[in-house]
Amino acid sequence: MVSDERLKMLFRQLGDDVFVIGLTWSDEGKGKVAHELAAGAHATVRWHGGASAGHNIMLRDGTKVHLHNLPCGIVRANVPRNYVGPMSVVDPECLRRENSLAEQYGRDRTFVDQGALVVLPLHKFIDGGRETRFGAKAYGTTKTGMGPAHEDLFGRKGLRVRDFVSAKQLRAKLTERRYYEEKQAIAGFWGIRLPSLNETVRYCRQFVPLFQKLQLDTRAAVQTLRRQGRPILWEGAHGVMIDVIQGTMSTSSLVGPWSAMHSYGPMRSRLAVIGTFRPYVTRTGAGPMPTEMTDDEATRLQVEAGEVESTTGRKQRCGWLDLEAIRHTARLSGTTHLIITKLDVMPFKTVRIANGYQPDAGYESGMTLTEQVLENVRPQYVDLPGWDGDDVAAATTWNDLPSATKKFVELVETATRLPVIAIGNGPQCGDLVLRKS
Ligand code: GDP
């Protein structure tokens, strides 16, 4: 198990602002990596996204935690400040649950920005109802209300954390510019019945004390931490491939790290962006996935690597590692270092890697990987010997790793021109092998 002391040292070497992001379609193991690096952080910040993201973290004592809204630092007593940013959408029920967990690790360390949008039952009703009625054209959302909540976030509507003052204030906000009436009309269009305005006010009122306690101007707080020279860990909620602008529009959220600057201003010069991914890729919901495996191959990963989506329990679609996608997201996100997780679960005698797409399919290397582009590309594979049966989990130093895994890592480094600074070799926190001692 890698020690907290070594992780702290690694953070110090990496920078003052350290991002942990996913370079694929999500579920890269960002939660575990962020939690580990938070050993060296004074604050962790989840600056975007909402409860559709689910970070599963198995702590060193074996406890499993699932975080949908709050950043990983809440389950690390050494981190005194944990913030949810103003570009986030916050599910109050989820927040109540996760804040109780946070309090087990210390009180008054968790804060939600006053400007964050609050997810209401109406968002979930509209999300779920629309998905059902889209039929074969459904997006395959998690039905957690994320899409409709982001429509409000960027549509200057809905309830913000700061509105949770009193029932009177909530009612005034819900009826301002005929907000609730408009939502009922939209729901009616889709044949969905929303809770009444009174029910919604009652629902919201129960969360007034929680939001009163947790709300903060996190932007001012981050400025203070910067002036004090405090190290900050920025935890990405989703993979960059699903970003609404940079990626395939599978989420409504602005996933790339630069969106954090929109909320918090420029990062400090000592900045690192750690891109995480597994030796394979997965995707939930609909949409093209150029390196998608056969059903038999995917089943092995679903069973042996537990590739089941954490928010919905759906089986993941699985594919071979797509380095063209990794290069694309690494380039757009300014990734400086890589960490490959789940190297211990790759149950294949031969490991395939797409090191690019065929140029003859109208594709040129470097093109933006929109959904439309991905629909037509054909991967060019390189086959490497696998490490199925080798004991990757037992490695504690880089030298202990099986040679097939080192060849794999070297290929990734050559193809991306980025250093792999660690690999994950087990589900638990601490199951990380650092490249340098
Ligand atoms: P995230 O949303 O990117 O944090 O990823 P998920 O929450 O979907 O899932 C990551 C899962 O993989 C969690 O259950 C982790 O415990 C597990 N995990 C993370 N890193 C490793 C690793 O190196 N090896 C193994 N076997 N499991 C890992």
Side-chain angles (χ1 to χ4, degrees), residues 4 6 16 40 47 77-78 85 120-121 181 190 230 238 257 278 296 305 311 345 350 358 361 365 367 380 386 398:
D4 266 10
R6 284 190 68 195
D16 298 317
W47 76 93
N78 70 287
L120 303 177
E181 233 182 300
W190 292 108
R230 306 285 197 184
H238 306 285
R278 292 155 294 179
D296 283 354
T311 305
V345 277
T350 300
Q358 309 248 12
S365 183
M367 276 171 90
Q380 286 177 313
W398 199 260

Side-chain angles (χ1 to χ4, degrees), residues 22 26-33 53-58 235-237 276 278 304-310 316 340-345 423-429 431-432:
S26 293
D27 302 311
E28 297 88 351
K30 300 174 288 298
K32 175 182 132 182
V33 171
H55 294 181
N56 291 298
I57 308 173
M58 195 197 286
E235 179 183 345
T276 60
R278 292 155 294 179
E304 294 186 39
E307 287 307 343
V308 174
E309 198 197 359
S310 63
Q316 300 268 27
I340 308 176
T341 60
K342 291 194 146 186
L343 214 62
D344 55 310
V345 277
I423 61 101
N425 68 337
Q428 207 158 339
C429 286
D431 292 336
L432 272 181

Side-chain angles (χ1 to χ4, degrees), residues 241 246 322-332 355-359 362-370 373-374 377 380 415:
M241 273 306 277
Q246 293 188 337
D322 186 339
L323 283 178
E324 190 71 356
I326 302 277
R327 279 192 290 262
H328 167 70
T329 46
R331 196 168 50 236
L332 283 178
N355 198 5
Y357 301 144
Q358 309 248 12
Y363 181 76
E364 261 174 59
S365 183
M367 276 171 90
T368 299
L369 300 183
T370 59
V373 167
L374 287 176
V377 297
Q380 286 177 313

Side-chain angles (χ1 to χ4, degrees), residues 138-181:
Y139 288 110
T141 76
T142 53
K143 301 184 181 170
T144 46
M146 292 302 96
H150 280 85
E151 286 163 27
D152 282 356
L153 177 71
F154 292 108
R156 300 179 290 169
K157 298 172 181 177
L159 297 183
R160 309 288 158 145
V161 168
R162 66 167 73 87
D163 298 323
F164 282 69
V165 175
S166 63
K168 193 168 160 222
Q169 169 81 351
L170 288 163
R171 183 179 295 276
K173 279 286 164 187
L174 284 167
T175 49
E176 195 173 82
R177 296 191 192 87
R178 303 176 68 180
Y179 173 79
Y180 208 80
E181 233 182 300

Side-chain angles (χ1 to χ4, degrees), residues 12-133:
R12 267 204 296 272
Q13 286 162 2
L14 287 168
D16 298 317
D17 286 304
V18 175
F19 281 81
V20 175
I21 60 166
L23 291 181
T24 63
W25 283 267
S26 293
D27 302 311
E28 297 88 351
K30 300 174 288 298
K32 175 182 132 182
V33 171
H35 179 272
E36 288 304 88
L37 284 175
H42 186 83
T44 64
V45 186
R46 190 135 159 188
W47 76 93
H48 73 100
S52 60
H55 294 181
N56 291 298
I57 308 173
M58 195 197 286
L59 302 175
R60 286 173 193 233
D61 62 8
T63 312
K64 288 184 183 169
V65 297
H66 309 286
L67 300 179
H68 293 279
N69 252 158
L70 291 178
C72 62
I74 65 157
V75 285
R76 250 197 183 282
N78 70 287
V79 182
R81 291 286 175 269
N82 299 287
Y83 300 141
V84 174
M87 212 178 62
S88 304
V89 300
V90 189
D91 184 317
E93 293 170 53
C94 181
L95 185 65
R96 183 165 57 192
R97 222 172 25 247
E98 293 182 5
N99 186 53
S100 304
L101 177 68
E103 290 190 341
Q104 293 171 25
Y105 293 80
R107 297 181 86 81
D108 304 325
R109 306 152 56 236
T110 305
F111 301 95
V112 181
D113 199 276
Q114 295 156 336
L117 188 116
V118 178
V119 180
L120 303 177
L122 73 91
H123 296 116
K124 295 180 194 176
F125 276 99
I126 293 175
D127 187 2
R130 277 200 304 218
E131 277 290 276
T132 308
R133 282 153 189 83

